[in-house]
Amino acid sequence: MSMQLCREGIVAGPSSGEGLCGLIQYLERVRTSGRLSELSDTETGEISCVFICCDLPYQYLDGYFDRLPESQFPPIINQVLGQSERQTYRTDNGSQVLLSCDQDKYSESWILSTTQAARMLSCSAQRKQRLRECKRRSYQARGADDNKRTSGTRFLDLRQRDDFETEQIPQSMNSPLKGLTPTIRDLFGDPDTLHMIWTGLQAKFDKDEKVLSPKKQPIVILCYDGDTSQTATSILRAKGYTAFSVCGGFSALRRVTPTNKLSDGDD
């Protein structure tokens, strides 16, 4: 019942649907007993009914598919989407490629504004400076690995090496993603490109696991415009990393924070 409510524009969860079912069952009992007129307005003859929508459906979406028969859903035109291999199917507009990828969760809370990212960068730089200035033996004894764990937020730049060497965020690491270029304008609207980027990210993060660790230390992913880094963040979050992307990517962040440029001698 809650799914039907959603389809009619009332976004409600299972408990809300049960409330509506209870109301309908009550009205049916009253009708069967011949007392329905007792509920009607004396002037209009209408019966006003109210039920409480007390929950949302989002966390129960998988349950709808698991428990309800296929007849409750529209036919799936692109059923190959859930298969493990890339498939093609024929439509009136020609052959379209569908793929099984990019199934991990996305969250707006993982997308940093440029102001938030710049603040994290500044705090990380200050933390690293304090560690460098600290002369206590306890810090010296911990070594490079401990410095990595305590040095604050890391920035991982997926842009191509030439672009990174031309201009980069200070203290950022470069790990070029094959196929990623500044000319990709509609990542989520192009299945072929999305598949290429997603599979490349999966392979990269499986290979670069040591570079990414520790998982609890925040890591900000940068790309050209922010789309690829959103996908990267989704993958890393599913793997347990505290990952973030930046709205607008490197091109937006460079406008609000100092960068190292090739002309500055940082090649």
Side-chain angles (χ1 to χ4, degrees):
M1 183 64 76
S2 60
M3 188 171 66
Q4 290 179 281
L5 286 172
C6 292
R7 288 173 174 170
E8 294 296 329
I10 301 176
V11 181
S15 295
S16 305
E18 290 175 0
L20 178 56
C21 285
L23 173 61
I24 294 173
Q25 291 170 2
Y26 170 74
L27 292 174
E28 179 61 24
R29 288 197 302 270
V30 174
R31 186 190 69 79
T32 302
S33 64
R35 297 182 295 109
L36 199 58
S37 60
E38 297 176 5
L39 304 177
S40 62
D41 186 278
T42 55
E43 295 183 2
T44 64
E46 295 180 346
I47 299 175
S48 298
C49 300
V50 175
F51 70 98
I52 298 175
C53 293
C54 56
D55 61 344
L56 294 171
Y58 306 119
Q59 63 266 45
Y60 306 107
L61 291 179
D62 288 342
Y64 293 140
F65 293 100
D66 292 339
R67 300 180 183 181
L68 296 175
E70 291 186 8
S71 59
Q72 294 292 317
F73 302 94
I76 301 176
I77 298 174
N78 55 343
Q79 190 142 10
V80 295
L81 187 63
Q83 299 181 9
S84 59
E85 299 292 335
R86 298 178 67 198
Q87 303 286 344
T88 61
Y89 71 94
R90 184 66 59 179
T91 68
D92 294 339
N93 297 324
S95 180
Q96 299 184 13
V97 177
L98 292 174
L99 43 110
S100 175
C101 70
D102 197 32
Q103 299 298 306
D104 295 316
K105 178 182 177 182
Y106 281 74
S107 173
E108 291 185 359
S109 65
W110 303 337
I111 305 175
L112 302 175
S113 67
T114 52
T115 302
Q116 291 173 314
R119 187 182 302 120
M120 292 177 72
L121 180 64
S122 176
C123 291
S124 179
Q126 292 173 11
R127 186 182 182 91
K128 289 178 180 179
Q129 181 63 29
R130 288 196 298 269
L131 288 173
R132 284 195 295 266
E133 294 172 353
C134 183
K135 303 298 184 181
R136 290 185 300 175
R137 292 182 179 180
S138 59
Y139 278 89
Q140 295 174 347
R142 291 175 186 174
D145 289 341
D146 190 75
N147 281 338
K148 180 181 177 182
R149 288 193 295 272
T150 59
S151 59
T153 304
R154 297 160 295 160
F155 283 73
L156 181 65
D157 195 327
L158 301 176
R159 296 177 302 140
Q160 297 307 308
R161 188 166 302 279
D162 287 347
D163 296 321
F164 178 82
E165 291 179 349
T166 299
E167 184 177 14
Q168 76 272 162
I169 299 298
Q171 308 296 331
S172 60
M173 304 175 290
N174 184 220
S175 181
L177 176 64
K178 184 178 180 180
L180 177 62
T181 68
T183 60
I184 297 176
R185 297 300 181 189
D186 188 12
L187 176 64
F188 300 109
D190 184 341
D192 275 322
T193 302
L194 179 57
H195 183 270
M196 175 190 68
I197 293 295
W198 184 83
T199 52
L201 287 169
Q202 287 282 9
K204 171 175 288 296
F205 294 150
D206 288 342
K207 179 181 178 181
D208 295 346
E209 187 172 354
K210 291 183 179 180
V211 176
L212 295 168
S213 63
K215 291 186 174 182
K216 291 185 178 181
Q217 184 180 353
I219 182 167
V220 178
I221 310 300
L222 295 175
C223 65
Y224 292 100
D225 61 3
D227 285 349
T228 295
S229 57
Q230 284 189 48
T231 302
T233 297
S234 173
I235 294 172
L236 288 175
R237 285 278 179 168
K239 295 178 179 293
Y241 292 93
T242 308
F244 299 91
S245 64
V246 178
C247 182
F250 176 83
S251 61
L253 184 57
R254 66 183 294 274
R255 292 196 288 267
V256 300
T257 191
T259 60
N260 295 330
K261 298 182 180 180
L262 187 63
S263 58
D264 296 333
D266 293 318
D267 57 338

